[in-house]
Amino acid sequence: MVILSRFNVVKTTGADTWVFNTLTSAFVKLSTDIWNSLSSIEDKELLDVLARQGIIVKDSNTELNEYQYIFYKKLFDNKNLAVTIAPTMQCNFGCPYCFEGDHKTMPKMSEPVTAALEEYLIKQSETKDISINWFGGEPLLAFDVICKICDSLESNGVDFVSSMVTNGSLLSIEKIKKLEKLRLNHLQITLDGVAEKHDSRRFYKGGFPSFDTIIANIGNLLDNTALSIVIQVGVDNTNPQAYEEVYEFIDKRFPDTIPSGRIIIGCNNIQDRTGFDCTGNCMTDSQLYNRRITAIEQGSYPELMGKLPGHSLPCMYRRTNQPAIDPEGNIYHCLEHLGNPCFRVGNICDGTMSFSRIADMAFMGNPFDDEECRHCNVLPVCGGGCPQDIQRCADHKHKTYCSSHKHYLADMLPYLYKRFVSCK
């Protein structure tokens, strides 16, 4: 008897059938006749291949346990500490869509908090590898605090790496020359388009444009460091061509940096996943699906084409080794909570931690307790959805947190297969 995996996503179009297994990542194309006759087929070699790929299984409950094991193993993995640090919540920009909103008021981290943070990181480094993401607000408004922390870690023999998310406006030559001590593996800068479009969305407080300054600073980074630069382009329905425009601009302004990987252009398709879209400008799943198909058919901009999804693992909301720390030393488990003390789970200055709150966040909305999730073929690439959205939809009457894969992955398979074959 042939038992098909519960995690097969199948698309049949005429004589062809595509099958993607969301647990094993196996991806095959079969004739529809063969796919429909698997229960009676006598081709043992084919059946053995499909079994090795997880498309045929001995027990569908066992494979659910396999994903649950992968999920929980990552949930309780504590060999690394990936900490996000906001040395200030203040920002020199006035972006109208910023999710931090009224929480961009905390000033620069004080000396007592900085000392407690240094002690915390030094202690954690005794048993964990340390990686830091400098965040904000605008972290470069507190560049002296960042340098002091890194100097302290260096002098105490702490092996660490870091990254930074910045608006790119404050990267003066003086700061650029000091970046080496931060041990940055990359630096991320956001652009929302080219020139006028960017300046209408990402501007200094007071309304002054920022694009030209940021581009000049990127040039100085390229000239004076070996850093990788990630330019993240925010795209919604008010600037739908922003990614293409930024890509072409950077490719022309800084030739060879994209092919060499020195500059990576990422696309942040802004969707209303946590209820912050008050204007209706966010991208819908349907729009992204059509956008990816168009990109594949045109053979341009690989970032826009989409790809086969990998395993969905617990986000920082559920995990204990990915804390976010604000200028007052408060500890959070979500970047969207940063700077809002009512969401804190502890504080590094007084050493307090709410075990009950951390436990609730780890297991709240557990997908393995949800019958619909347990029987969903995209569970391994969805993970049950955003924990915050799950909490908002606790009654399941207006469920909005299901992944777009549930509705669009099957239809994407022929296009993704075409892309996969063309790249060989």
Side-chain angles (χ1 to χ4, degrees):
M1 178 183 176
V2 172
I3 302 175
L4 295 177
S5 167
R6 69 166 69 198
F7 296 131
N8 288 337
V9 177
V10 182
K11 177 65 177 182
T12 295
T13 302
D16 297 318
T17 294
W18 294 263
V19 185
F20 175 65
N21 188 278
T22 58
L23 178 64
T24 66
S25 297
F27 190 25
V28 300
K29 179 183 177 183
L30 301 167
S31 77
T32 300
D33 287 343
I34 289 177
W35 176 251
N36 290 336
S37 62
L38 282 182
S39 60
S40 59
I41 199 170
E42 295 182 359
D43 187 341
K44 186 176 184 303
E45 183 177 352
L46 174 61
L47 294 176
D48 285 345
V49 169
L50 295 178
R52 288 196 299 271
Q53 293 176 327
I55 291 170
I56 293 174
V57 297
K58 294 180 179 179
D59 183 346
S60 61
N61 288 323
T62 297
E63 60 177 349
L64 178 63
N65 291 337
E66 289 176 9
Y67 174 58
Q68 190 167 356
Y69 177 83
I70 293 168
F71 188 91
Y72 283 128
K73 183 179 180 182
K74 183 59 68 171
L75 176 64
F76 295 114
D77 179 9
N78 275 314
K79 63 178 180 293
N80 304 302
L81 181 74
V83 56
T84 296
I85 300 173
T88 179
M89 291 302 298
Q90 294 181 338
C91 186
N92 60 333
F93 275 21
C95 307
Y97 59 75
C98 182
F99 69 79
E100 290 172 355
D102 296 334
H103 304 304
K104 295 191 296 184
T105 57
M106 285 186 185
K108 190 164 61 175
M109 189 175 284
S110 68
E111 174 59 34
V113 177
T114 301
L117 177 56
E118 292 167 1
E119 183 179 350
Y120 167 78
L121 293 172
I122 293 168
K123 181 66 176 178
Q124 290 292 314
S125 72
E126 295 174 1
T127 56
K128 299 179 179 67
D129 296 326
I130 306 295
S131 62
I132 301 169
N133 180 34
W134 301 106
F135 199 71
E138 171 48 50
L140 290 176
L141 286 172
F143 189 62
D144 56 334
V145 173
I146 294 173
C147 290
K148 182 180 183 306
I149 292 170
C150 291
D151 285 341
S152 176
L153 297 180
E154 174 77 27
S155 64
N156 281 277
V158 175
D159 188 14
F160 71 98
V161 295
S162 76
S163 59
M164 180 182 291
V165 178
T166 170
N167 61 36
S169 67
L170 298 175
L171 285 163
S172 64
I173 291 292
E174 181 184 8
K175 288 186 176 71
I176 287 172
K177 290 180 178 179
K178 296 179 181 179
L179 289 180
E180 186 176 357
K181 69 172 62 183
L182 275 58
R183 302 189 190 180
L184 292 167
N185 52 29
H186 75 271
L187 188 147
Q188 179 179 309
I189 297 171
T190 300
L191 294 176
D192 277 3
V194 175
E196 185 178 351
K197 177 57 71 173
H198 170 90
D199 288 336
S200 70
R201 297 160 57 91
R202 296 185 64 79
F203 42 79
Y204 292 98
K205 289 180 177 177
F208 304 107
S210 65
F211 183 79
D212 288 344
T213 299
I214 295 169
I215 296 302
N217 291 344
I218 289 174
N220 288 332
L221 276 169
L222 293 170
D223 292 340
N224 293 279
T225 75
L227 269 176
S228 295
I229 303 169
V230 177
I231 297 177
Q232 198 72 8
V233 184
V235 179
D236 62 22
N237 283 312
T238 67
N239 64 342
Q241 299 301 311
Y243 178 86
E244 294 92 330
E245 292 167 1
V246 169
Y247 190 103
E248 297 302 324
F249 177 90
I250 295 296
D251 194 40
K252 183 177 181 180
R253 180 69 173 265
F254 305 112
D256 302 323
T257 57
I258 296 176
S260 69
R262 183 74 194 279
I263 291 182
I264 298 169
I265 313 291
C267 186
N268 177 26
N269 294 301
I270 301 170
Q271 294 191 271
D272 186 21
R273 287 298 183 218
T274 49
F276 65 83
D277 183 21
C278 301
T279 61
N281 291 327
C282 286
M283 304 287 284
T284 66
D285 290 343
S286 176
Q287 286 176 310
L288 294 183
Y289 166 71
N290 290 321
R291 184 174 172 83
R292 287 163 184 161
I293 289 175
T294 299
I296 292 173
E297 290 180 332
Q298 293 178 348
S300 58
Y301 305 109
E303 180 72 18
L304 301 183
M305 295 180 186
K307 58 185 178 181
L308 289 169
H311 286 156
S312 178
L313 300 172
C315 68
M316 66 184 297
Y317 187 93
R318 297 188 186 278
R319 298 176 63 177
T320 59
N321 68 335
Q322 293 185 352
I325 300 173
D326 74 13
E328 295 180 352
N330 295 314
I331 303 172
Y332 306 86
H333 277 203
C334 181
L335 293 184
E336 293 184 13
H337 293 164
L338 197 61
N340 188 350
C342 69
F343 289 110
R344 67 184 179 185
V345 298
N347 186 282
I348 59 167
C349 297
D350 57 23
T352 57
M353 289 290 284
S354 173
F355 178 76
S356 61
R357 189 160 193 173
I358 292 171
D360 284 344
M361 295 172 78
F363 295 106
M364 185 274 303
N366 189 334
F368 304 104
D369 294 335
D370 185 299
E371 278 303 304
E372 184 177 353
C373 289
R374 288 169 59 86
H375 291 90
C376 182
N377 61 352
V378 300
L379 175 61
V381 296
C382 165
C386 169
Q388 292 188 81
D389 284 345
I390 293 172
Q391 196 168 24
R392 290 187 181 95
C393 303
D395 60 1
H396 285 207
K397 291 181 180 178
H398 303 286
K399 193 173 181 181
T400 60
Y401 52 83
C402 288
S403 165
S404 64
H405 297 314
K406 183 172 184 176
H407 305 291
Y408 293 100
L409 181 55
D411 289 338
M412 279 294 299
L413 293 183
Y415 299 95
L416 292 171
Y417 192 86
K418 176 183 177 181
R419 179 189 179 191
F420 177 77
V421 170
S422 67
C423 291
K424 276 191 155 185

